[in-house]
Amino acid sequence: MNKMKKSYLIFVLIGLTLKSQAQVDSIVELEKTGVLTWLKSESVKKEAPICAMLFLAGAADGLSQDLLFHYNEFERTTGFENHQYWDPDISWRNKYKNGDPNAGAKFFGSTTFLVGLTDGYHASRSFRDIMIITSLATSDKGVTKKEIATKMAIYTICYGSGFTLVYDYLIK
């Protein structure tokens, strides 16, 4: 992991730790500050699936970037050996008849809205997009600017955590 990513992750984790330790000394304090009530609230239950979808979107993005820039590490880590599907240097041709761009699309939509069915790179990108769109469509819209900003921060952390998990830790 590069220094920038490490610094960001460490900053977020330290910030969350310091905030929780400085403001919350005990379970009693958690209850007094309303944190436990918030964690038990309906809003958290509504946000959990959205956060999970954004985490998966980030993981799919991490996978697509590993395929694109670190295919050898992907192959070594996962053991997947279907180069024609996973290796972006050759799999991009799967969307065309006989692998030839001049021959046209392999099937209806293979070069546009169904491209995610043709190879690993496009499948992971399509999955990422579906998760983001679904999470946006199912998210309650915040009433206040503070609620919207809070959701933006939480969603960004969820997405980034999924990306970082796959790109920096799982495929090496």
Side-chain angles (χ1 to χ4, degrees):
M1 179 166 32
N2 68 32
K3 289 182 181 182
M4 182 74 147
K5 287 182 184 177
K6 279 185 182 177
S7 299
Y8 174 73
L9 185 59
I10 290 169
F11 174 75
V12 169
L13 292 174
I14 289 173
L16 292 173
T17 303
L18 290 175
K19 180 175 174 141
S20 65
Q21 289 177 353
Q23 294 179 353
V24 181
D25 296 325
S26 67
I27 297 297
V28 173
E29 282 297 312
L30 278 172
E31 195 64 59
K32 285 180 186 176
T33 60
V35 172
L36 284 181
T37 304
W38 179 78
L39 287 173
K40 295 176 187 176
S41 72
E42 285 299 313
S43 64
V44 171
K45 291 176 186 172
K46 289 179 185 176
E47 295 298 320
I50 294 163
C51 289
M53 285 185 272
L54 289 169
F55 178 86
L56 291 173
D61 193 22
L63 173 62
S64 73
Q65 296 308 293
D66 267 320
L67 287 171
L68 198 56
F69 299 112
H70 308 285
Y71 179 72
N72 291 335
E73 291 173 359
F74 166 82
E75 187 179 40
R76 185 177 62 248
T77 302
T78 64
F80 295 158
E81 294 183 8
N82 183 350
H83 303 290
Q84 190 60 47
Y85 184 78
W86 292 107
D87 186 349
D89 287 339
I90 57 174
S91 65
W92 67 273
R93 293 180 167 277
N94 293 348
K95 59 186 162 232
Y96 302 108
K97 289 179 191 170
N98 302 318
D100 179 9
N102 294 324
K106 188 172 191 172
F107 55 86
F108 175 72
S110 68
T111 61
T112 55
F113 70 101
L114 295 177
V115 71
L117 301 174
T118 64
D119 62 89
Y121 172 78
H122 287 101
S124 62
R125 301 298 281 185
S126 295
F127 182 76
R128 176 203 66 173
D129 294 347
I130 289 167
M131 289 293 99
I132 290 172
I133 291 165
T134 304
S135 68
L136 291 172
T138 58
S139 175
D140 284 343
K141 307 307 176 256
V143 177
T144 67
K145 289 180 182 178
K146 182 178 179 183
E147 289 173 329
I148 292 170
T150 300
K151 285 184 180 189
M152 287 172 53
I154 291 169
Y155 294 172
T156 300
I157 290 168
C158 292
Y159 183 94
S161 298
F163 181 93
T164 300
L165 175 68
V166 172
Y167 190 78
D168 290 331
Y169 294 105
L170 295 183
I171 299 178
K172 289 291 162 204

